[in-house]
Amino acid sequence: MQLIYNQLSQMGLTCDQITILQDKDGITVARVSCGTDSYILKYFQKPEHRREIANYHLLHSLGIPTIKVLAATDSALLLEDLACSPVYRLGNKEDMDHPAVAGKLAEWYRALHQRGYDYVAEHGNSLYDESDFFTLENIALIAGKTETENWISWKLLQLHFHDITQKLAKVRKTLTYNDFYYTNLAVAQDYSAALMFDYNLLGKGTAVSDLRNVTYPLSPAAKDAFLSAYGALNQTEALLDDITAPVVTLYFACQRAKIPEWAKEALCQIKNDLPDKIFQLLESN
């Protein structure tokens, strides 16, 4: 608790009450009450997590809407408390079925991607990129751990790996959010806007990869509303994502002692869909 008080002191803030909301993996989230005002403080014990502070500054500089940052130190952020906001509320599971929310969220993602292209082109070399995990070594690791070495899909990936990665290197990369879940969603109370917060996994990638991540949990109606509001997708990007995404998903799954249930869909995609996707990509311009 003293660490929280130290951060607040650096911000020039005194408070009446501190309530710890989460303390996990070196990140402490606390509600700070100061008279009638309430704020959220995020304290990052590990230096690698403090990138979120810089990411808030980056999005502000690009004109991407975020929740309000009221103060910051080199290891903490003081944010508006959405539970008390007159404008926004926290997202909920029902928002995943709401076309109006999905449409407004698509506008936020479109702004992130459109403004992110130039930034990534100039400053993106060190940004986190999930496609970096698409390697021959990781493909072999997955095939071995899942005991599927004889699948034709793995043989095709190995045979055409150079061609696939050549195409992957040519597609434009942009800023990607990478961590979609409704608990990171803020929705305007009048449904005039929606945005994501928590930017610890902000990185670079294709726009299509980010859109796959956000549309997966949406209801069919909400997904249609999102894609309609976002606009047309690049088909080469889509094919590349169909090939690389299940491999990356399975790579992370294979870091665990036991393959989790959520990885089974990616394994089915590898077995049943991947050969056709590879041939479609190779035949495309």
Side-chain angles (χ1 to χ4, degrees):
M1 188 70 77
Q2 187 58 47
L3 292 171
I4 300 298
Y5 281 107
N6 290 345
Q7 296 302 314
L8 292 171
S9 177
Q10 290 183 49
M11 295 173 180
L13 193 67
T14 57
C15 64
D16 305 317
Q17 183 177 352
I18 296 175
T19 304
I20 302 298
L21 304 178
Q22 178 180 305
D23 192 358
K24 182 180 178 182
D25 299 329
I27 301 176
T28 303
V29 181
R31 175 168 282 114
V32 179
S33 299
C34 305
T36 59
D37 297 322
S38 180
Y39 312 105
I40 297 296
L41 184 99
K42 289 190 74 173
Y43 171 61
F44 307 97
Q45 297 178 37
K46 299 178 180 179
E48 62 266 28
H49 290 159
R50 295 171 187 167
R51 60 181 176 262
E52 186 169 355
I53 300 170
N55 287 339
Y56 268 97
H57 292 316
L58 168 60
L59 295 182
H60 287 168
S61 72
L62 295 176
I64 309 297
T66 72
I67 61 176
K68 290 180 181 178
V69 178
L70 303 169
T73 67
D74 61 358
S75 55
L77 284 163
L78 188 69
L79 305 167
E80 67 173 313
D81 186 351
L82 293 181
C84 306
S85 172
V87 178
Y88 287 101
R89 62 167 175 80
L90 284 167
N92 54 53
K93 193 172 183 179
E94 288 69 33
D95 289 324
M96 301 297 93
D97 300 328
H98 204 303
V101 172
K104 291 301 178 181
L105 186 58
E107 294 178 8
W108 185 85
Y109 270 88
R110 187 174 65 232
L112 174 70
H113 295 157
Q114 289 179 344
R115 298 172 195 176
Y117 283 116
D118 287 343
Y119 178 83
V120 167
E122 295 182 20
H123 309 288
N125 286 340
S126 62
L127 288 175
Y128 171 81
D129 187 344
E130 287 191 347
S131 69
D132 289 342
F133 298 102
F134 182 75
T135 67
L136 285 172
E137 292 77 11
N138 289 343
I139 290 168
L141 180 151
I142 296 164
K145 186 157 186 177
T146 57
E147 299 180 346
T148 58
E149 294 98 330
N150 293 327
W151 282 6
I152 187 63
S153 297
W154 300 128
K155 299 182 189 302
L156 288 171
L157 274 178
Q158 292 166 345
L159 179 63
H160 298 292
F161 184 81
H162 176 75
D163 293 327
I164 294 168
T165 52
Q166 285 289 99
K167 287 181 177 288
L168 192 61
K170 292 178 181 178
V171 296
R172 293 179 72 197
K173 299 291 184 72
T174 186
L175 289 173
T176 50
Y177 178 72
N178 294 319
D179 193 26
F180 180 77
Y181 197 54
Y182 67 82
T183 55
N184 297 336
L185 172 66
V187 180
Q189 295 180 18
D190 63 358
Y191 293 93
S192 62
L195 57 86
M196 302 306 298
F197 60 93
D198 281 5
Y199 307 122
N200 197 40
L201 292 182
L202 189 78
K204 68 178 178 181
T206 64
V208 165
S209 68
D210 221 14
L211 300 185
R212 180 244 314 149
N213 181 269
V214 63
T215 56
Y216 180 79
L218 300 183
S219 69
K223 181 177 180 179
D224 288 345
F226 184 101
L227 294 175
S228 176
Y230 184 90
L233 307 183
N234 181 290
Q235 292 308 304
T236 298
E237 286 184 23
L239 281 171
L240 283 165
D241 188 67
D242 287 339
I243 294 167
T244 60
V247 173
V248 173
T249 296
L250 287 168
Y251 167 75
F252 287 117
C254 286
Q255 304 310 300
R256 304 191 179 197
K258 182 181 179 181
I259 303 295
E261 286 294 317
W262 50 258
K264 289 185 176 180
E265 182 178 351
L267 203 56
C268 288
Q269 290 171 342
I270 294 288
K271 181 179 182 180
N272 300 321
D273 302 333
L274 202 65
D276 284 344
K277 297 295 184 182
I278 291 173
F279 291 131
Q280 288 177 44
L281 177 69
L282 296 177
E283 292 169 0
S284 65
N285 294 325

